[in-house]
Amino acid sequence: KTIEPYLPLLKTVLKSTDPGTLKWGLDSLRNLAASIADNLPDPRVRRETELATDPYQSKIKLLLFGTTVKSLDSLTPSVEPALRSNDPETRTLAHKTVEAIANARRLARLTSQYEPTPGNTLLPVSKDDYLLPGLQTLLPTLYGNLKSADPVLRLRAMEALEFYETAIWPDRGQVIAAPRDPSPFVRWVAARALGKRIPKKPEHPAQS
């Protein structure tokens, strides 16, 4: 099945001024991103099961999601007004939606980088562009929210930015001040996000 027939409806819903209708659209988008993420291997939390799967089969899954991923990317910019909503619940849901989309992108990128099964090169390593165009359109608003006087809004923005991973690293100057935020919660998430970018030291060989 494809969501293509529903795209016009979702785009309209995401432009709604009715809070209930808008929240329904955001929740639909978040669930769509979550469904993609749930079907892709995550080496951070599923080490015992998913990584035993043939990388080639994982990439087949990603290929099957191709149309859905493109649809999700085309809808992502529609979240931007909700990130600036005057309704706290709508803003929170919008940031959680961005977080879910960015997480789906992270897993798609990891899957695309898996080497194919030896002897089978049908699926080459893909470029790092899954869901990135749509997510990049939201960066100015997320950076703006990171400077808000509302600590909760700053926290939501930082939580969403954390899942952008390498997409925000070239612009790390926008988040580098976050570890000095007045809110300890923002500082914690910012430190966690920036800490993930620190190259890991190579393991020392065992002493013989």
Side-chain angles (χ1 to χ4, degrees):
K1 295 182 179 180
T2 175
I3 67 165
E4 294 300 318
Y6 303 99
L7 284 180
L9 173 61
L10 271 174
K11 287 181 178 179
T12 300
V13 166
L14 290 168
K15 294 178 182 178
S16 176
T17 56
D18 175 65
T21 302
L22 179 56
K23 290 174 186 176
W24 178 86
L26 291 169
D27 202 44
S28 298
L29 210 57
R30 184 170 60 90
N31 287 334
L32 180 61
S35 69
I36 294 173
D38 286 344
N39 282 278
L40 295 176
D42 186 345
R44 293 182 182 174
V45 298
R46 302 175 186 172
R47 192 174 303 276
E48 296 299 325
T49 56
E50 292 289 354
L51 286 188
T53 303
D54 187 339
Y56 179 76
Q57 295 299 324
S58 297
K59 295 182 81 169
I60 286 290
K61 281 186 177 182
L62 183 57
L63 181 65
L64 293 174
F65 272 115
T67 301
T68 303
V69 168
K70 290 180 180 178
S71 299
L72 180 59
D73 187 61
S74 71
L75 289 168
T76 299
S78 301
V79 179
E80 195 275 335
L83 292 171
R84 297 182 286 104
S85 172
N86 292 325
D87 177 42
E89 290 185 4
T90 299
R91 285 200 310 267
T92 295
L93 183 54
H95 284 83
K96 291 295 183 183
T97 300
V98 175
E99 184 178 321
I101 296 172
N103 185 48
R105 175 190 175 271
R106 176 179 71 86
L107 296 177
R109 181 175 59 83
L110 288 173
T111 300
S112 74
Q113 293 174 347
Y114 288 164
E115 293 295 335
T117 303
N120 194 337
T121 57
L122 181 61
L123 292 178
V125 174
S126 304
K127 294 181 180 179
D128 182 17
D129 60 1
Y130 288 101
L131 298 170
L132 184 55
L135 286 166
Q136 284 181 320
T137 66
L138 305 179
L139 282 173
T141 301
L142 289 172
Y143 290 150
N145 287 352
L146 198 58
K147 299 175 183 177
S148 169
D150 181 357
V152 175
L153 184 54
R154 297 199 305 273
L155 176 62
R156 299 304 179 207
M158 192 63 247
E159 287 174 335
L161 287 167
E162 177 183 6
F163 279 85
Y164 269 67
E165 290 203 318
T166 56
I168 66 167
W169 197 230
D171 300 315
R172 61 187 181 277
Q174 296 283 352
V175 297
I176 205 70
R180 298 191 296 273
D181 192 276
S183 166
F185 301 105
V186 177
R187 293 199 302 270
W188 167 251
V189 176
R192 184 176 64 193
L194 292 170
K196 292 176 182 178
R197 278 47 172 206
I198 299 175
K200 294 183 179 179
K201 295 181 178 180
E203 294 184 2
H204 295 292
Q207 298 290 333
S208 56

